[in-house]
């Protein structure tokens, strides 16, 4: 990977210092169709001039702004904002932001590995075989016309990376959550409750991230016009065909691979124009990754249901403990009432008031104790029966 360094002449030092106050340089990596990567330290205006997009589209890739997951098809580029993947895809190169980020480095390596054409490696001995098989060249040209476009191969790498990343985060969350829930079920404690709370918050955040990516893919699949805007090579070929030669743009590609595609497509421009609305190729690509991200979302949904079931089970346990505490409190309150009756009788007989039946009537103490005990027992039984009748305690 090479790094491009721009030297500023001495006469432009003051101008550059003024621009430096308003333009902040960022690191980008450019990967072309040959798999060669170049690191660029440029500001946003240089990127806008390089790929010819508006500032509002480039603002979508600003990490300081919270934009949702987005796949935008423009006239000459595809603006891709999927989690940590912030890229601009053209018909001949991929610009990826923050190439030294730990999550972006594997994507750059994968782009370098998969973007080069496989046919370029197999066409070295074509000259020798062409003499023996005259129709071989026509067959290869026909296959090249139907090859997967460069922008779709780059888009596939990005979608595969983001789907794999989110699925890996989901598996890690499942690995941590299921044992924590089982431990909470066996022992309800403040530490276990706090651990599960943190895991549930992480699951909610991850679910929102997966949902945003899924919604963006679903929105693309529901709109054929949006999918047609992602066919950059097709639009480039139509614009450079003899049909539109009068309005030929000034951004004719310098890549020989793209140039050969355009020359072949120009010979069949009429057929290309008719197939402008044919998005079956891209639709199959998006559906594959839509099913993968939907499967990840289903895993998170299942995990949420398991958490909800665990919470219901814990609430049932807490309700049972709460009922036991209420029952114990009722028994204690009933015993307190009975002891209050004894205290009342003792207070009455303990008053220093002369009564005639206190003299020579020693048997009265025995009857007072018996009658008071019966009164307390009947009071306690009545309270318990009433509580069971109202369902406050179990039978």
């Amino acid at each position: 990977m090479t790094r491009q360094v721009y030297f500023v002449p001495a006469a432009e030092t003051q101008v550059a210092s003024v621009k430096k106050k308003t333009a902040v340089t960022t690191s980008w990596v450019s990967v072309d169709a040959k798999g060669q990567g170049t690191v660029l330290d440029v500001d946003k205006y240089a990127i806008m001039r390089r790929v010819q997009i508006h500032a509002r589209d480039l603002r979508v890739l600003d990490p300081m702004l919270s934009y949702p997951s987005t796949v935008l098809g423009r006239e000459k580029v595809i603006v891709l904002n999927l989690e940590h993947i912030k890229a601009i895809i053209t018909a001949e190169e991929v610009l990826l932001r923050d190439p030294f980020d730990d999550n972006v480095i594997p994507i750059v390596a994968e782009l370098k590995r998969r973007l080069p054409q496989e046919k370029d490696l197999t066409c070295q001995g074509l000259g020798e075989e062409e003499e023996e098989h005259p129709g071989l060249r026509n067959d290869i040209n026909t296959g090249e016309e139907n090859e997967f476009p460069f922008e779709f191969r780059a888009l596939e790498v990005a979608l595969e990376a983001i789907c794999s990343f989110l699925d890996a985060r989901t598996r890690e969350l499942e690995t941590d959550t299921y044992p924590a829930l089982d431990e909470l079920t066996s022992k309800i404690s403040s530490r276990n409750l706090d651990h599960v709370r943190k895991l549930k918050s992480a699951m909610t955040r991850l679910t929102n991230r997966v949902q945003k990516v899924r919604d963006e893919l679903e929105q693309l699949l529901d709109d054929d016009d949006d999918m047609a805007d992602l066919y950059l090579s097709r639009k480039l070929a139509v614009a450079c065909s003899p049909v539109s030669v009068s309005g030929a743009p000034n951004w004719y590609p310098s890549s020989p691979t793209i140039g050969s595609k355009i020359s072949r497509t120009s010979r069949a421009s009429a057929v290309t124009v008719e197939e402008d609305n044919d998005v079956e190729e891209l639709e199959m690509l998006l559906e594959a990754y839509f099913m993968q991200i939907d499967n990840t979302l289903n895993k998170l949904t299942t995990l949420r249901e398991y958490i909800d079931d665990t919470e219901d089970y814990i609430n049932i346990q807490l309700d049972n403990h709460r009922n036991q505490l209420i029952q114990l409190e009722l028994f204690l309150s009933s015993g307190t009432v009975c002891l209050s009756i004894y205290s009342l009788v003792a207070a009455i007989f303990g008053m220093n008031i002369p009564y005639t039946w206190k003299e020579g009537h020693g048997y009265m103490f025995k009857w007072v104790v018996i009658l008071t005990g019966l009164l307390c027992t009947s009071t306690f039984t009545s309270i318990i029966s009433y509580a069971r009748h109202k369902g406050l305690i179990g039978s």
Side-chain angles (χ1 to χ4, degrees):
M1 183 182 294
T2 60
R3 180 184 290 269
Q4 291 185 1
V5 181
Y6 299 94
F7 296 95
V8 181
E12 299 179 0
T13 305
Q14 296 181 352
V15 179
S17 61
V18 175
K19 290 183 177 179
K20 189 176 181 180
K21 297 179 180 179
T22 58
V24 179
T25 60
T26 56
S27 296
W28 295 76
V29 60
S30 172
V31 183
D32 56 16
K34 297 181 180 180
Q36 297 179 353
T38 304
V39 177
L40 308 174
D41 290 332
V42 294
D43 57 13
K44 63 179 181 180
Y45 301 105
I47 294 296
M48 290 167 57
R49 289 191 299 268
R50 183 185 182 95
V51 298
Q52 300 184 13
I53 62 174
H54 297 288
R56 64 175 180 272
D57 296 331
L58 188 60
R59 196 177 297 116
V60 175
L61 305 180
D62 193 346
M64 303 301 294
L65 303 177
S66 58
Y67 278 93
S69 297
T70 307
V71 180
L72 298 177
R74 294 297 183 252
E75 183 64 26
K76 303 172 186 177
V77 299
I78 298 174
V79 181
L80 196 67
N81 178 25
L82 297 175
E83 293 290 326
H84 55 273
I85 302 178
K86 302 181 184 300
I88 300 175
I89 303 174
T90 67
E92 52 186 354
E93 70 172 348
V94 180
L95 291 171
L96 201 62
R97 184 164 183 158
D98 298 331
F100 301 107
D101 186 81
D102 293 337
N103 294 324
V104 180
I105 292 177
I107 302 173
V108 176
E110 190 70 12
L111 286 172
K112 292 181 180 179
R113 186 182 69 86
R114 295 175 56 175
L115 286 184
Q117 301 278 352
E118 294 183 1
K119 65 181 181 59
D120 294 340
L121 303 177
T122 59
C123 290
Q124 296 177 355
L126 181 61
E128 300 177 357
E129 298 181 1
E130 186 178 5
E131 298 178 358
E132 300 177 1
H133 305 281
L136 182 61
R137 173 65 64 180
N138 295 331
D139 294 339
I140 292 181
N141 288 338
T142 303
E144 289 176 353
E145 291 177 2
N146 296 326
E147 69 184 4
F148 217 44
F150 170 82
E151 62 272 14
F152 288 173
R153 286 184 283 123
L155 180 62
E156 183 180 9
V157 172
L159 291 176
E160 181 179 350
I162 196 62
C163 291
S164 301
F165 175 79
L166 293 176
D167 188 66
R169 300 290 84 74
T170 301
R171 290 197 301 269
E172 292 176 1
L173 187 62
E174 287 179 336
T175 304
D176 295 336
T177 302
Y178 285 117
L181 292 175
D182 294 338
E183 184 179 0
L184 179 62
T185 303
S186 60
K187 181 181 179 181
I188 301 176
S189 62
S190 300
R191 183 181 64 84
N192 292 337
L193 286 172
D194 185 66
H195 187 201
V196 172
R197 180 189 62 82
K198 293 179 180 179
L199 291 174
K200 187 176 181 181
S201 300
M203 184 203 64
T204 302
R205 292 192 298 268
L206 183 59
T207 302
N208 293 333
R209 293 162 60 186
V210 174
Q211 185 68 47
K212 290 177 182 178
V213 177
R214 181 188 178 278
D215 292 343
E216 182 61 25
L217 293 180
E218 185 178 14
Q219 183 178 358
L220 279 176
L221 288 170
D222 291 340
D223 196 333
D224 291 345
D225 293 335
D226 289 344
M227 286 190 289
D229 288 338
L230 303 183
Y231 281 80
L232 303 180
S233 299
R234 176 186 295 175
K235 292 188 291 185
L236 186 62
V238 172
C240 296
S241 63
V243 177
S244 59
V245 69
S246 59
N250 56 1
W251 45 275
Y252 193 89
S254 59
S255 172
T257 304
I258 301 298
S260 60
K261 292 181 184 179
I262 294 174
S263 62
R264 291 193 300 269
T265 312
S266 300
R267 295 192 296 267
S269 58
V271 179
T272 306
V273 173
E274 292 178 359
E275 295 180 354
D276 275 347
N277 293 326
D278 183 15
V279 294
E280 182 178 359
E281 188 178 41
L282 178 59
E283 187 176 5
M284 294 176 62
L285 172 65
L286 294 178
E287 282 181 352
Y289 292 101
F290 175 79
M291 293 177 63
Q292 184 175 350
I293 200 69
D294 188 63
N295 183 39
T296 303
L297 185 61
N298 290 335
K299 290 181 182 179
L300 292 172
T301 303
T302 303
L303 183 60
R304 175 176 289 276
E305 292 176 354
Y306 191 82
I307 292 177
D308 292 339
D309 293 341
T310 304
E311 288 180 346
D312 293 339
Y313 175 74
I314 292 175
N315 289 331
I316 292 174
Q317 284 187 330
L318 294 177
D319 290 340
N320 184 34
H321 293 326
R322 189 180 300 110
N323 291 336
Q324 292 177 357
L325 291 176
I326 293 175
Q327 186 174 358
L328 177 61
E329 183 181 3
L330 182 61
F331 280 120
L332 294 177
S333 300
S334 301
T336 303
V337 171
C338 296
L339 291 177
S340 299
I341 295 175
Y342 270 103
S343 300
L344 176 63
V345 174
I348 293 175
F349 282 91
M351 288 187 296
N352 190 14
I353 299 176
Y355 290 102
T356 56
W357 51 268
K358 284 184 177 182
E359 299 176 359
H361 298 84
Y363 61 92
M364 290 294 298
F365 176 78
K366 178 178 63 175
W367 286 107
V368 169
V369 172
I370 294 175
L371 292 177
T372 305
L374 292 176
L375 179 61
C376 292
T377 303
S378 62
T379 303
F380 182 80
T381 305
S382 301
I383 294 174
I384 298 301
S385 299
Y386 178 79
R388 289 176 178 175
H389 178 70
K390 294 298 182 179
L392 298 178
I393 61 174
S395 57

